[in-house]
């Protein structure tokens, strides 16, 4: 095909955009490296798979896929409203929570306006901000030698960046790719300190993994703060990353704006049914949490034995620091059939983000790393 560069015709925000870098799929690794039996600890997926109840519900929907899905997601919204004790008008469904993060940018940002977030915050925040031509105002993270929360969010730094042009503040709790977190108490004070023209987005993609109630549940603060948005996903603990379902909870006035930019059929029928069923699978979530906390202990001990730096995490992954390039280590791991996530795109060159797997997967990763580091 004839080559032609179209960047000059693209909107300025799009021209400068750095695309999201996904974890390498297993099939791609096996094609490119000629390895088999590989494992993926790169995208914070649930190593136990999906909730069996969710899979059954998705399958049952397949007979009806010639019909458009319910654009209002009635059954899922009813269940979510009950779970969180909010009216259905407070809910915006997304094709993954990535979708609702983009709706927030589309609805509330434009050239001349700003989003504030932390250095090392989730990569979708800068993408969503830039794509609509708004400015990312980034607060430096806590230093790598910080006593309790190295590389974590600095709430005071975030607060100082908020100004007249700020419309959104993104805070992931816990954060990806660092795994670091904020206590619910401190985060709640922060939300309460923001002026009314600023919407605070608390991204709770990993909240099901938190082992204590330290992080709090921002969805319980919605009554108090009309400018709060809480996002959740079925991609992580619920194990439905491939189906793409997430949601935002907010004041109905904010949800109204988000639903105006939302494509009508953004969540497909099997996904709606699976998410609805997954909410009732308490056993699956309990087992997921158990495997994760055991794996967290296993990997942390293993990494420390290898003399590596482990950033504290409240999620289902660990950010691990090395005294050499993460990209090179990643390459060596790929050759051994282990996919992890290099985070050079976040400015974390000497780190790897590693999803906590099953006991066996964790053993395999530790063995490969120890061989490489010898
Ligand atoms: C994975 C992740 C999401 C969203 O993922 P979806 O699959 O789009 O729901 C959102 N925020 C953070 C911090 C994440 O790590």
């Amino acid at each position: 095909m004839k080559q032609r560069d179209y960047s000059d015709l693209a909107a300025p925000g799009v021209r400068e955009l750095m695309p999201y870098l996904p974890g390498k799929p297993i099939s791609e690794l096996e094609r490119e490296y000629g390895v088999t039996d590989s494992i993926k600890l790169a995208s914070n997926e649930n190593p136990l798979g999906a909730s069996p109840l969710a899979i059954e519900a998705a399958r049952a929907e397949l007979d009806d896929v010639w019909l458009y899905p319910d654009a209002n997601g009635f059954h899922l919204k009813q269940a979510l409203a009950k779970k969180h004790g909010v009216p259905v008008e407070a809910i915006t469904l997304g094709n993954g929570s990535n979708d609702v993060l983009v709706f927030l940018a589309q609805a509330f940002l434009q050239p001349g306006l700003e989003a504030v977030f932390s250095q090392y915050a989730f990569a979708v925040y800068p993408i969503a901000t830039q794509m609509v031509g708004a400015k990312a105002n980034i607060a430096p993270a806590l230093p790598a030698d910080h006593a309790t929360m190295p590389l974590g969010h600095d709430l005071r730094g975030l607060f100082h960046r908020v100004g007249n042009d700020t419309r959104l503040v993104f805070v992931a709790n816990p954060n990806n790719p660092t795994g670091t977190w904020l206590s619910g108490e401190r985060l709640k004070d922060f939300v309460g300190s923001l002026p009314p023209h600023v919407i605070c987005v608390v991204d709770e993609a990993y909240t099901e993994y938190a082992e204590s109630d330290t992080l709090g549940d921002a969805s319980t603060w919605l009554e108090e703060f009309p400018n709060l948005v809480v996002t959740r996903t079925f991609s992580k603990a619920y194990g439905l990353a491939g189906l793409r379902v997430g949601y935002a909870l907010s004041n109905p006035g904010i949800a109204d704006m988000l639903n105006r930019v939302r494509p009508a059929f953004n969540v497909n029928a099997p996904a709606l049914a699976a998410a609805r069923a997954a909410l009732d699978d308490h056993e699956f979530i309990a087992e997921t949490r158990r495997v994760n906390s055991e794996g967290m202990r296993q990997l942390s001990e293993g990494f420390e034995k290898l003399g590596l730096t482990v950033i504290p995490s409240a999620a289902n992954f660990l950010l691990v620091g090395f005294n050499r390039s993460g990209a090179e280590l990643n390459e060596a791991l790929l050759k051994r059939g282990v996919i992890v996530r290099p985070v050079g795109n976040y400015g974390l060159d000497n780190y790897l983000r590693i999803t906590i797997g099953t006991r066996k997967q964790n053993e395999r990763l530790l063995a490969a790393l120890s061989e490489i580091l010898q």
Side-chain angles (χ1 to χ4, degrees):
M1 217 186 281
K2 245 193 216 163
Q3 295 294 311
R4 154 85 158 91
D5 181 357
Y6 275 91
S7 60
D8 56 337
L9 292 185
V14 175
R15 199 179 302 148
E16 323 261 294
L17 215 56
M18 300 288 274
Y20 183 81
L21 289 175
K24 195 184 263 301
I26 287 180
S27 56
E28 186 179 306
L29 171 78
E30 301 197 338
R31 224 167 30 238
E32 289 177 359
Y33 287 70
V35 294
T36 53
D37 196 27
S38 43
I39 58 168
K40 185 181 179 205
L41 301 174
S43 301
N44 305 340
E45 291 144 340
N46 188 330
L48 300 180
S51 145
L53 295 184
I55 295 176
E56 196 185 308
R59 235 179 231 138
E61 279 299 311
L62 290 177
D63 289 340
D64 289 333
V65 289
W66 55 281
L67 291 166
Y68 276 99
D70 174 5
N72 288 316
F74 177 83
H75 295 291
L76 177 57
K77 278 194 184 175
Q78 289 288 329
L80 289 173
K82 196 163 155 225
K83 172 184 162 84
H84 293 288
V86 299
V88 288
E89 294 75 23
I91 304 168
T92 308
L93 295 181
N95 191 268
S97 55
N98 191 330
D99 213 21
V100 294
L101 295 170
V102 171
F103 300 160
L104 281 156
Q106 290 173 327
F108 294 103
L109 296 176
Q110 61 173 43
L113 297 178
E114 293 183 5
V116 169
F117 49 89
S118 177
Q119 182 184 20
Y120 313 133
F122 185 43
V124 169
Y125 311 154
I127 293 174
T129 302
Q130 266 188 323
M131 79 168 67
V132 297
K135 189 185 141 191
N137 193 337
I138 300 172
L142 296 173
D145 60 359
H146 190 268
T148 52
M149 214 43 83
L151 309 180
H153 285 14
D154 174 7
L155 287 178
R156 210 168 308 161
L158 285 166
F159 181 78
H160 283 302
R161 296 204 167 239
V162 171
N164 286 338
D165 298 331
T166 309
R167 289 294 175 277
L168 297 177
V169 177
F170 290 106
V171 178
N173 197 33
N175 182 48
N176 170 17
T178 58
T180 52
W181 68 94
L182 296 157
S183 79
E185 211 176 336
R186 292 194 54 223
L187 181 53
K188 193 176 177 190
D189 284 346
F190 174 78
V191 177
S193 74
L194 293 171
H197 70 276
V198 175
I199 294 170
C200 189
V201 183
V202 177
D203 179 344
E204 295 187 329
Y206 299 95
T207 200
E208 295 83 2
Y209 286 105
E211 284 196 18
S212 65
D213 54 8
T214 327
L215 279 73
D217 171 354
S219 75
T220 62
W221 314 336
L222 287 162
E223 197 64 53
E224 201 168 334
F225 306 121
N227 58 340
L228 170 65
V229 176
V230 182
T231 64
R232 297 280 186 104
T233 182
F234 287 91
S235 298
K236 306 287 158 57
Y238 287 102
L240 300 177
L243 281 177
R244 317 300 305 126
V245 197
Y247 58 99
L249 302 172
S250 67
N251 182 279
I254 292 178
D256 179 19
M257 296 303 121
L258 300 181
N259 277 296
R260 289 180 197 208
V261 295
R262 182 182 67 86
F265 304 108
N266 64 330
V267 187
N268 69 65
L272 286 170
R276 167 70 195 85
L279 284 176
D280 288 338
D281 203 340
H282 304 291
E283 204 177 311
F284 180 77
I285 292 293
E287 178 66 0
T288 292
R289 287 163 55 94
R290 193 186 64 72
V291 169
N292 192 65
S293 56
E294 276 184 25
M296 171 94 73
R297 211 168 315 129
Q298 180 192 3
L299 282 183
S300 309
E301 284 172 16
F303 293 142
E304 273 155 27
K305 263 192 205 138
L306 292 171
L308 306 172
T309 308
V310 182
I311 302 297
S313 169
N316 68 337
F317 58 87
L318 287 165
L319 185 67
V320 185
F322 301 83
N323 54 12
R324 54 203 269 196
S325 149
E328 277 169 33
L329 287 167
N330 178 52
E331 206 44 50
L333 284 168
L334 288 175
K335 287 188 185 130
R336 288 164 176 79
V338 179
I339 315 175
V340 298
R341 185 73 76 93
V343 280
N345 58 319
Y346 284 93
L348 293 163
D349 288 336
N350 288 4
Y351 289 85
L352 289 174
R353 192 194 70 193
I354 299 171
T355 303
I356 296 166
T358 60
R359 163 167 287 283
K360 266 184 121 163
Q361 291 174 329
N362 299 336
E363 273 167 13
R364 168 118 178 247
L365 164 84
L366 288 169
L369 256 186
S370 122
E371 192 181 293
I372 294 163
L373 293 171
Q374 257 173 29

